[in-house]
Amino acid sequence: MGGNESKSHSRRKETTSTGFLGRGRHIKYYTNILVGEINGRTIGREIIKRCGHEGHHPYLGGADKATLRFLRAANSFIPDAEDDGADMKNAAFILRQPGREFVLKSGNGDWEYDFCEDSDGEIYGRCIRQPLLRYAYDKAKSAVVRIFQFAFSWVPSLLGGVFQALTEK
């Protein structure tokens, strides 16, 4: 297989939800496929439903090959989403391939992940929405970490000055 067919894994890009006002749901614009939980088994069922079994994959047309690549990329992204702390029973994977956008949605779909293809043929996955409490927690945690980093950046110079003053006496 040459060209883009060999790139069926997903790479991570930075989260794109910016600020509180950018927290609207993105899944309302696409066809939703409801599943109980997003995992390898449910994505495997979608692969079989849309692309057939493994032996049929070499004979797929261009659009179906793209669907297969997107579904495989979404499957490879599941561990990254779990590392983010995503609840896979309350998540949505938005697969944005040109002309054939659809969403694998479980629960309310509060954790939204977007998959799209860049000009280099790579399929990228990124978190575009988190639940409100997780969003607030992450922002508060980030602020506390920055405050402590700033405060502790002064500690060595203050301790050095105190130590120097004590040794000069």
Side-chain angles (χ1 to χ4, degrees), residues 146-156 158:
R146 283 193 308 252
I147 290 169
F148 275 102
Q149 284 177 340
F150 177 74
F152 285 118
S153 69
W154 287 90
V155 169
L158 292 176

Side-chain angles (χ1 to χ4, degrees), residues 33-34 42-53 57 67 71 104:
I33 299 168
L34 301 176
T42 57
I43 291 178
R45 284 187 199 125
E46 276 305 308
I47 289 174
I48 292 170
K49 178 180 166 187
R50 293 178 178 273
C51 306
H53 291 282
H57 293 172
T67 301
L71 287 168
L104 293 175

Side-chain angles (χ1 to χ4, degrees), residues 10-135:
S10 177
R11 289 191 3 199
R12 176 181 289 278
K13 275 197 172 180
E14 291 299 314
T15 301
T16 58
S17 57
T18 56
F20 185 73
L21 296 177
R23 292 193 29 79
R25 291 196 182 267
H26 300 274
I27 61 174
K28 61 186 174 187
Y29 305 113
Y30 306 107
T31 303
N32 289 326
I33 299 168
L34 301 176
V35 296
E37 178 180 3
I38 296 178
N39 56 30
R41 185 172 280 170
T42 57
I43 291 178
R45 284 187 199 125
E46 276 305 308
I47 289 174
I48 292 170
K49 178 180 166 187
R50 293 178 178 273
C51 306
H53 291 282
E54 240 2 87
H56 184 65
H57 293 172
Y59 307 109
L60 293 174
D64 289 333
K65 280 186 181 180
T67 301
L68 178 62
R69 287 182 52 242
F70 271 83
L71 287 168
R72 284 180 173 169
N75 192 29
S76 72
F77 193 79
I78 290 174
D80 291 333
E82 289 172 342
D83 288 344
D84 289 345
D87 177 13
M88 300 311 281
K89 292 183 179 179
N90 190 19
F93 278 17
I94 303 169
L95 305 171
R96 291 190 307 129
Q97 48 183 331
R100 299 182 82 181
E101 298 89 0
F102 63 95
V103 177
L104 293 175
K105 179 183 171 188
S106 64
N108 292 332
D110 286 339
W111 288 87
E112 291 184 9
Y113 287 90
D114 179 54
F115 295 88
C116 58
E117 185 174 17
D118 278 354
S119 60
D120 62 354
E122 285 283 333
I123 298 174
Y124 292 94
R126 73 185 102 205
C127 180
I128 57 173
R129 187 174 184 280
Q130 299 173 337
L132 179 61
L133 290 176
R134 180 61 183 232
Y135 175 79

